[in-house]
Amino acid sequence: GAVVSQHPSWVICKSGTSVKIECRSLDFQATTMFWYRQFPKQSLMLMATSNEGSKATYEQGVEKDKFLINHASLTLSTLTVTSAHPEDSSFYICSAREGGGLSTDTQYFGPGTRLTVL
Amino acid sequence: AQSVSQHNHHVILSEAASLELGCNYSYGGTVNLFWYVQYPGQHLQLLLKYFSGDPLVKGIKGFEAEFIKSKFSFNLRKPSVQWSDTAEYFCAVNAGNMLTFGGGTRLMVKP
């Protein structure tokens, strides 16, 4: 159980394109989902926390107009990188928190989406 | 703000050697602690977690970790590593509503 999927797994796009990444919890409902970014050989950095039915909470330094997050249902959150530029190239990972939304619940991670902006 | 540090960035061991990966965190309140593993080409997987109770927790694949509150540590151990344990290991601390990761330790096990 507790499987999280992401789609697409890899996307290559031209500069200026907007890219949408989907994150789904396959066998559980996730009140809260998280979006992370991982640079090569570095750890995960939290970008934003997404709560179903409400606006996402962004970490300091993350542009909310650049990285649009929508959490329309208990099993789906989307991250849209708007007008992507080469510096947005990275590995984007989502996680979903199982349970009733308590902070003590475990996060389960998706496989990640590699974004390459040319 | 909480922070997590993993002392070793790279560890190279021979098969059957014992493993201990250090993890220290800074946060004064109640924390929940995790170790995640990322095998080459795969996504993060939960190895083990500590919420409360026995500070020595056992996870999958023979891994265990000990929470020492006085030292703010949650070190990961395995008595005898295998080649298949080659991966990157991340310690993470959940305090409040945020999961904070350490920098990761890349483990290579030589056959």
Side-chain angles (χ1 to χ4, degrees):
Chain A
V3 177
V4 177
S5 70
Q6 278 184 245
H7 178 80
S9 56
W10 192 0
V11 57
I12 303 173
C13 67
K14 292 182 179 179
S15 187
T17 308
S18 291
V19 176
K20 181 187 280 189
I21 303 170
E22 293 186 349
C23 175
R24 294 180 185 273
S25 56
L26 298 185
D27 50 2
F28 65 99
Q29 293 186 328
T31 309
T32 306
M33 291 183 169
F34 303 84
W35 286 96
Y36 295 84
R37 188 170 176 176
Q38 186 178 30
F39 290 100
K41 299 184 180 180
Q42 294 188 30
S43 188
L44 285 79
M45 298 296 293
L46 179 66
M47 297 175 64
T49 302
S50 168
N51 292 298
E52 185 266 336
S54 63
K55 290 183 178 180
T57 303
Y58 290 82
E59 295 303 304
Q60 193 172 9
V62 178
E63 300 174 58
K64 58 183 69 176
D65 294 330
K66 173 78 172 174
F67 299 99
L68 301 178
I69 292 173
N70 184 285
H71 192 160
S73 78
L74 287 172
T75 60
L76 173 64
S77 176
T78 61
L79 168 68
T80 301
V81 183
T82 61
S83 187
H85 291 286
E87 59 266 27
D88 298 323
S89 297
S90 190
F91 197 56
Y92 293 87
I93 304 171
C94 77
S95 71
R97 190 160 64 192
E98 188 181 27
L102 298 177
S103 62
T104 53
D105 293 331
T106 303
Q107 290 183 33
Y108 293 92
F109 287 81
T113 296
R114 188 171 301 281
L115 171 63
T116 302
V117 185
L118 303 176
Chain B
Q2 67 226 41
S3 66
V4 183
S5 63
Q6 291 180 239
H7 317 301
N8 312 103
H9 298 294
H10 289 92
V11 173
I12 301 175
L13 295 172
S14 298
E15 275 196 312
S18 64
L19 170 73
E20 180 160 2
L21 302 182
C23 172
N24 284 89
Y25 65 93
S26 64
Y27 185 75
T30 302
V31 294
N32 301 303
L33 301 156
F34 305 82
W35 275 97
Y36 286 91
V37 60
Q38 187 170 29
Y39 296 101
Q42 298 187 28
H43 62 281
L44 279 170
Q45 299 174 41
L46 181 66
L47 206 51
L48 49 80
K49 60 186 177 184
Y50 171 80
F51 284 179
S52 64
D54 189 346
L56 182 63
V57 292
K58 296 193 183 298
I60 60 172
K61 304 185 180 185
F63 286 91
E64 64 178 33
E66 185 175 12
F67 170 49
I68 303 179
K69 190 175 181 180
S70 60
K71 294 185 178 180
F72 297 89
S73 71
F74 190 55
N75 291 356
L76 181 70
R77 299 195 291 251
K78 184 169 183 177
S80 176
V81 294
Q82 300 172 309
W83 175 80
S84 58
D85 293 323
T86 294
E88 188 155 16
Y89 294 81
F90 292 94
C91 178
V93 173
N94 188 343
N97 199 38
M98 190 163 74
L99 188 64
T100 302
F101 285 85
T105 297
R106 199 175 291 260
L107 170 66
M108 183 184 297
V109 180
K110 298 185 294 184

